[in-house]
Amino acid sequence: MPFDLAVSVNVFLNHRAIIMDYSYESEQTKFMREFLEKNPQVQEKRLAARSIWWDKSLDKNQQKHFKESTVPHKPYAYFGAQSDD
């Protein structure tokens, strides 16, 4: 196969691989979509659980206190104590 033809075929195949079928829906996605449509309370519970861990208001004074109270790490922490022998 001539080089130009091989490059053309390779470019064509690579171009074809980029084209996606956006109408495709996996079985997992379909299951989750249908499950959430049938059970809207799950979405409400999910949001409530998320707020326990993630949706927090930050206290600027407390953050400042934490930042000021940190102890700087010594360099070469993983090599142990250096001896003067």
Side-chain angles (χ1 to χ4, degrees), residues 59-72:
D59 183 4
K60 298 289 183 183
N61 290 331
Q62 188 178 31
Q63 284 186 322
K64 183 181 175 186
H65 174 70
F66 286 151
K67 188 174 182 177
E68 291 171 350
S69 65
T70 59
V71 177

Side-chain angles (χ1 to χ4, degrees), residues 30-42:
K30 183 177 178 181
F31 168 78
M32 289 303 297
R33 183 180 47 77
E34 291 174 354
F35 177 78
L36 292 173
E37 286 173 359
K38 292 177 186 175
N39 304 295
Q41 74 277 7
V42 172

Side-chain angles (χ1 to χ4, degrees), residues 74-84:
K74 294 181 180 180
Y76 304 108
Y78 299 106
F79 293 108
Q82 298 291 328
S83 64
D84 294 330

Side-chain angles (χ1 to χ4, degrees), residues 7-48:
V7 170
S8 298
V9 169
N10 191 21
V11 168
F12 176 74
L13 290 176
N14 286 338
H15 178 70
R16 297 274 297 162
I18 294 172
I19 297 173
M20 295 180 60
D21 180 13
Y22 290 102
S23 64
Y24 172 77
E25 184 177 46
S26 70
E27 291 180 22
Q28 177 65 27
T29 303
K30 183 177 178 181
F31 168 78
M32 289 303 297
R33 183 180 47 77
E34 291 174 354
F35 177 78
L36 292 173
E37 286 173 359
K38 292 177 186 175
N39 304 295
Q41 74 277 7
V42 172
Q43 186 72 353
E44 295 167 6
K45 287 182 180 179
R46 186 189 69 81
L47 291 174

